[in-house]
């Protein structure tokens, strides 16, 4: 099958799964923003997305997308290294500069940081929430109290720093991956490639700011849902 056996097919799979994961991050980021304004509203969403059959199925589907994306990333990285040495990502000369050049040449390193951050995130939230609810465990905070878990996690300065590093790595990864996916789909000519880069940078920056604002707001206790006019 060409999606598995050919280089172009593998890039298509990487791009499709990558775009799907970006869409999930968009939903996740919007969901997290609710926590800034309403503890009850956020916990209502967490309850809706708790240990229900549809949430479990969606989680398994998301996990499959992530695994496929990661596996194909390593396959393509090994393939590109063999073909071009250290120049792992072929980038047009006119846009192969600055941030894009650095990100394109360090996608494997960024991917490893992102994977480690994802494991930390799963431990802090999925393990203590959905998994705990599924197995009937009783962690220190109620598994359905997503707001409480955010507050607890980001009261720890170490986690705050680690999450910031993780978000920066995701930003670099997505800022390259966004326009690269458009290029793989054949939606970027000489003019549109630069446009997709601009659109991608704006979109990814806004997306990562959604997550970063939540981290910092809870770290400093200044989310509207946490303070009563004293911040």
């Amino acid at each position: 099958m060409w999606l598995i056996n050919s280089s172009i097919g593998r890039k298509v799979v990487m791009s499709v799964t990558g775009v799907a994961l970006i869409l999930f991050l968009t939903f996740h980021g919007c969901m997290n923003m609710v926590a800034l304004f309403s503890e009850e509203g956020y916990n209502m969403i967490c309850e809706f997305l708790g240990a229900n059959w549809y949430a479990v199925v969606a989680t398994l589907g998301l996990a499959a997308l992530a695994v496929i994306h990661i596996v194909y990333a390593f396959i393509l990285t090994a393939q590109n290294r063999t073909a071009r040495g250290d120049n792992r990502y072929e980038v047009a000369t006119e846009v192969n500069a600055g941030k894009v050049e650095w990100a394109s040449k360090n996608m494997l390193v960024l991917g490893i940081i992102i994977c480690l951050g994802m494991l930390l995130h799963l431990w802090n939230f999925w393990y203590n929430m959905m998994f705990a609810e599924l197995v009937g465990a009783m962690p220190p905070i109620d598994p359905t109290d997503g707001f409480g878990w955010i507050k607890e996690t980001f009261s720890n300065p170490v986690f705050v720093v680690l999450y910031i590093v993780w978000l920066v790595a995701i930003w670099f990864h997505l800022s390259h991956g966004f326009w690269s996916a458009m290029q793989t789909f054949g939606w970027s000519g000489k003019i549109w490639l630069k446009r997709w880069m601009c659109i991608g940078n704006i979109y990814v920056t806004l997306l990562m700011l959604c997550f970063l604002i939540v981290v910092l707001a809870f770290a400093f206790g200044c989310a509207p849902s946490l303070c009563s006019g004293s911040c």
Side-chain angles (χ1 to χ4, degrees), residues 108-182:
L108 181 60
V109 174
L110 292 171
I112 291 173
I113 294 174
I114 291 170
C115 286
L116 292 174
M118 184 169 62
L119 292 175
L120 175 65
H121 187 64
L122 289 173
W123 170 264
N124 283 333
F125 293 98
W126 180 82
Y127 177 79
N128 288 310
M129 294 176 67
M130 180 181 283
F131 182 78
E133 195 174 351
L134 285 171
V135 300
M138 289 301 296
I141 301 174
D142 190 326
T144 63
D145 185 8
F147 187 91
W149 280 109
I150 294 179
K151 187 176 179 181
E152 173 69 19
T153 300
F154 297 126
S155 66
N156 187 330
V158 175
F159 284 145
V160 172
V161 172
L162 290 177
Y163 269 82
I164 292 174
V165 172
W166 185 40
L167 293 174
V168 170
I170 294 175
W171 184 86
F172 274 108
H173 187 84
L174 294 187
S175 63
H176 171 81
F178 187 95
W179 65 260
S180 181
M182 299 303 108

Side-chain angles (χ1 to χ4, degrees), residues 21 39 86 93 100 102 114 127 135 137-138 165 180 182 193 197 216:
L21 291 171
E39 177 178 353
D86 290 333
T93 302
V100 173
W102 186 90
I114 291 170
Y127 177 79
V135 300
M138 289 301 296
V165 172
S180 181
M182 299 303 108
L193 179 60
M197 290 177 64
L216 296 179

